Amino acid sequence: MQAFDELLTVEQLSFSYEEDEKPVFQDISFELQKGECVLLLGPSGCGKSSLALCLNGLYPEACDGIQSGHVFLFQKPVTDAETSETIAQHAGVVFQDPDQQFCMLTVEDEIAFGLENLQIPKEAMTEKINAVLEKLRITHLKEKTISTLSGGQKQKVALACILAMEPELIILDEPTSLLDPFSAREFVHLMKDLQREKGFSLLVIEHQLDEWAPWIERTIVLDKSGKKALDGLTKNLFQHEVETLKKLGIAIPKVCHLQEKLSMPFTLSKEMLFKEPIPAGHVKKKKAPSGESVLEVSSLSFARGQQAIFKDISFSLREGSLTALVGPNGTGKSTLLSVLARLMKPQSGKILLYDQPLQKYKEKELRKRMGFVFQNPEHQFVTDTVYDELLFGQKANAETEKKAQHLLQRFGLAHLADHHPFAISQGQKRRLSVATMLMHDVKVLLLDEPTFGQDARTAAECMEMIQRIKAEGTAVLMITHDMELVSSYADSVLVLHDTGLAFDGSPEQLFSQETGLVQKAKLTLPLLYEWMAYQEEVRDEAAVTSH
């Protein structure tokens, strides 16, 4: 380890992708000490990911961008030849989209690639690879081909690659966004333990703050123009600057939101909150969807080679309903949506859309009735501008143009209308992918994590739009890892677990009566249900003690 206490210094840093373009972020200054942990927050599109890539020297060279200001690592400019050659071993970044940083075919080779660049001896390399795989509980993926992994599994592999190199600074760009709830919580606790053990500095870009905020002491906040708006103790910001944070679109930890709703004293610790009694009447029962069935799935199975991904799955979607599809990483949730959208062929089973077999529909007719938003939004972009993406496949007239303009405004994309879809932020790409589907009056809408990468405001707006089209009679099936979202919005829940459908019922039934399955399927209880479960445990323990 170096002898400097000051690890990273950023001085008046600005960056843009084109010379005459408005900066993605601007005039950023801060210092990061050795061993310090910091949250970097900001609304979607404010330049957080671009800033992360400038901090470890990948930008501006990798994208021919324009940068002004300075970044110093160990008091040396990252642009120095000597520093830039060794920066990977000192500052590691886990990208928001893990596919962008892979260059080898298998998991083992990908982790080895970084270690080879550091000239680690082969015996030590094998030991490091095995150790990091075990730490992240992905030893079973060691010999797997990366392209066959789920999004969450890929994210864990990307994390393993960085952790194996043991850098002094680790930058995580939304590291838990593709992980199932249990794995996300487990990963945050792992990072907390590793940071205490190894003493590395940590900079975390994140929208889901519930597990991070209680132990990361400092938070830096950017505004929508990419300027630094706040920099201070995490606890102080969420206690005294909560209205400012909300206006900026920052997600408030659920523990803060709940205690605000219940008029309770401030704390970032849910353990402290749970010691208080629960006010009555805060779990509301929802009416079961009563619309007609529009999609019927019977005994559906899918295999990849000899491996069964899911088998004998049956359920139905009703008009005007929102169904959440949840489960651990790697259980085939995205694959199921692809099969339902007729992008993959099932091994067996039936899918009926309005009582007609899916395979009987002509392609054009099917796409008018069914919309599909990919997990990776770039997979569905086909035009050169954001505006044209919305109009693709539409008849150009005043009505469709008005609808496109309205969606651009609603999703905060109007200022990007002339930008290439590949050149906007991940959060903006996600909003665009959802908006393109809302251009069509589809009867079934399949969404693969529509709020992934969104700030609090745009996620809420996205769900508001989904609620609106649901009210117009569309049946929505949505993959999500956000159990609070499931509790708040979903009419029903499907739980995939161990290649089968383990649950089909209401969120209230799942979270109050099936807590064992919640644990098995690597989900987490929404905070209010977790609080209720804790209080029940306390009562049970007290009853046992009294006897």
Side-chain angles (χ1 to χ4, degrees):
M1 299 286 277
Q2 300 289 322
F4 305 113
D5 287 330
E6 190 177 294
L7 176 67
L8 183 77
T9 304
V10 181
E11 294 180 350
Q12 296 182 307
L13 193 68
S14 299
F15 174 82
S16 59
Y17 288 99
E18 301 288 344
E19 193 164 355
D20 299 326
E21 197 176 70
K22 183 181 176 182
V24 179
F25 62 82
Q26 50 192 313
D27 199 29
I28 302 292
S29 297
F30 66 91
E31 293 179 356
L32 189 62
Q33 303 300 312
K34 192 172 78 171
E36 187 177 12
C37 301
V38 176
L39 280 170
L40 177 61
L41 311 180
S44 175
C46 72
K48 302 183 297 295
S49 296
S50 299
L51 174 58
L53 296 176
C54 288
L55 297 184
N56 86 325
L58 278 173
Y59 280 7
E61 283 76 10
C63 64
D64 293 326
I66 311 300
Q67 178 179 303
S68 62
H70 305 282
V71 180
F72 299 94
L73 185 67
F74 298 128
Q75 301 181 347
K76 293 180 180 180
V78 296
T79 51
D80 277 6
E82 181 185 342
T83 308
S84 61
E85 284 179 7
T86 60
I87 195 168
Q89 71 183 87
H90 297 302
V93 179
V94 176
F95 292 8
Q96 189 178 37
D97 179 1
D99 279 322
Q100 293 182 358
Q101 67 191 94
F102 295 140
C103 53
M104 306 300 286
L105 290 176
T106 69
V107 170
E108 182 178 18
D109 288 346
E110 186 65 37
I111 301 172
F113 179 76
L115 298 174
E116 285 171 352
N117 288 336
L118 300 181
Q119 298 182 332
I120 303 295
K122 189 171 183 179
E123 286 185 9
M125 191 185 301
T126 301
E127 190 177 320
K128 282 178 177 288
I129 291 171
N130 290 336
V132 74
L133 289 172
E134 189 175 340
K135 280 275 188 187
L136 292 176
R137 298 186 182 179
I138 54 172
T139 302
H140 61 291
L141 301 180
K142 183 176 180 179
E143 297 177 0
K144 295 281 188 182
T145 302
I146 292 174
S147 61
T148 65
L149 304 181
S150 71
Q153 289 170 329
K154 287 177 182 177
Q155 206 155 25
K156 284 187 175 182
V157 172
L159 295 167
C161 294
I162 298 302
L163 290 172
M165 293 192 288
E166 299 184 340
E168 284 93 340
L169 169 62
I170 295 179
I171 302 172
L172 304 176
D173 193 352
E174 298 200 43
T176 63
S177 57
L178 293 176
L179 300 180
D180 60 61
F182 179 84
S183 297
R185 179 177 290 182
E186 190 179 53
F187 172 73
V188 177
H189 292 177
L190 172 64
M191 290 304 301
K192 181 179 179 180
D193 292 341
L194 284 173
Q195 196 280 329
R196 285 177 174 172
E197 178 187 337
K198 305 290 186 180
F200 52 76
S201 298
L202 184 63
L203 182 68
V204 182
I205 299 169
E206 188 59 277
H207 288 301
Q208 303 297 326
L209 305 175
D210 299 84
E211 302 297 332
W212 297 103
W215 66 275
I216 294 188
E217 291 189 351
R218 180 183 169 199
T219 295
I220 297 172
V221 182
L222 306 186
D223 63 20
K224 65 179 181 180
S225 68
K227 293 182 179 178
K228 189 171 77 170
L230 296 168
D231 184 351
L233 293 176
T234 303
K235 181 180 178 181
N236 290 348
L237 293 187
F238 284 110
Q239 184 170 9
H240 303 299
E241 300 286 353
V242 68
E243 291 307 316
T244 301
L245 293 170
K246 286 179 181 178
K247 287 177 183 176
L248 290 172
I250 307 301
I252 307 302
K254 295 177 183 72
V255 66
C256 299
H257 178 76
L258 187 57
Q259 66 203 5
E260 181 183 38
K261 182 179 177 181
L262 302 178
S263 302
M264 301 183 75
F266 173 84
T267 179
L268 279 174
S269 166
K270 66 183 180 184
E271 287 77 13
M272 293 297 292
L273 178 69
F274 288 177
K275 291 180 181 179
E276 302 292 331
I278 304 170
H282 284 280
V283 176
K284 297 179 181 178
K285 292 185 178 181
K286 295 179 183 176
K287 291 182 180 179
S290 57
E292 292 183 8
S293 176
V294 294
L295 189 76
E296 292 280 349
V297 178
S298 303
S299 303
L300 196 67
S301 299
F302 182 87
R304 191 173 283 117
Q306 297 298 312
Q307 182 185 3
I309 305 301
F310 55 79
K311 51 190 177 183
D312 201 27
I313 286 178
S314 300
F315 64 90
S316 63
L317 300 181
R318 296 186 175 276
E319 64 180 17
S321 67
L322 172 56
T323 302
L325 178 60
V326 304
N329 293 125
T331 51
K333 299 185 296 296
S334 295
T335 302
L336 175 57
L337 254 62
S338 293
V339 171
L340 297 180
R342 209 172 71 182
L343 300 177
M344 292 181 177
K345 189 176 180 180
Q347 186 180 33
S348 60
K350 293 182 181 179
I351 305 171
L352 300 179
L353 179 61
Y354 285 102
D355 297 324
Q356 181 173 315
L358 203 65
Q359 65 268 24
K360 296 287 186 182
Y361 284 89
K362 292 181 179 179
E363 184 66 18
K364 191 172 183 180
E365 185 184 5
L366 179 62
R367 298 311 158 203
K368 283 183 179 179
R369 289 175 175 256
M370 180 184 286
F372 179 44
V373 175
F374 290 78
Q375 187 178 60
N376 186 337
E378 292 179 354
H379 290 171
Q380 67 191 79
F381 296 151
V382 293
T383 70
D384 292 331
T385 72
V386 167
Y387 184 66
D388 288 343
E389 199 64 42
L390 287 172
L391 291 176
F392 182 77
Q394 302 280 333
K395 288 183 179 179
N397 56 43
E399 185 180 345
T400 56
E401 289 178 5
K402 183 179 179 181
K403 191 171 185 178
Q405 293 288 357
H406 172 70
L407 286 169
L408 287 174
Q409 291 288 344
R410 289 293 300 165
F411 281 88
L413 298 169
H415 66 294
L416 300 169
D418 296 328
H419 286 59
H420 196 288
F422 282 55
I424 60 181
S425 76
Q426 284 298 114
Q428 290 162 343
K429 288 174 186 174
R430 170 60 64 193
R431 299 206 296 278
L432 175 59
S433 66
V434 176
T436 58
M437 289 300 106
L438 298 186
M439 283 293 295
H440 304 268
D441 296 321
V442 295
K443 298 305 178 185
V444 176
L445 181 58
L446 309 175
L447 301 170
D448 198 342
E449 303 211 46
T451 59
F452 159 60
Q454 301 302 307
D455 59 54
R457 182 189 294 117
T458 54
E461 287 174 356
C462 179
M463 291 310 302
E464 185 183 314
M465 294 294 285
I466 292 169
Q467 289 285 87
R468 193 172 299 169
I469 66 162
K470 182 189 106 166
E472 293 169 357
T474 298
V476 182
L477 178 61
M478 174 183 68
I479 294 174
T480 183
H481 287 310
D482 189 337
M483 295 303 106
E484 298 287 346
L485 188 150
V486 172
S487 177
S488 298
Y489 292 100
D491 299 299
S492 57
V493 191
L494 304 174
V495 180
L496 279 187
H497 175 57
D498 196 21
T499 74
L501 185 62
F503 179 85
D504 181 356
S506 71
E508 183 194 3
Q509 287 174 315
L510 176 63
F511 297 133
S512 61
Q513 300 171 25
E514 300 287 344
T515 53
L517 175 60
V518 168
Q519 188 173 9
K520 283 181 187 176
K522 294 191 173 181
L523 309 176
T524 54
L525 292 173
L527 188 61
L528 185 55
Y529 285 94
E530 190 177 351
W531 190 2
M532 291 164 61
Y534 174 83
Q535 295 280 2
E536 191 172 333
E537 283 180 22
V538 170
R539 285 194 296 270
D540 290 345
E541 287 176 7
V544 170
T545 303
S546 66
H547 288 296

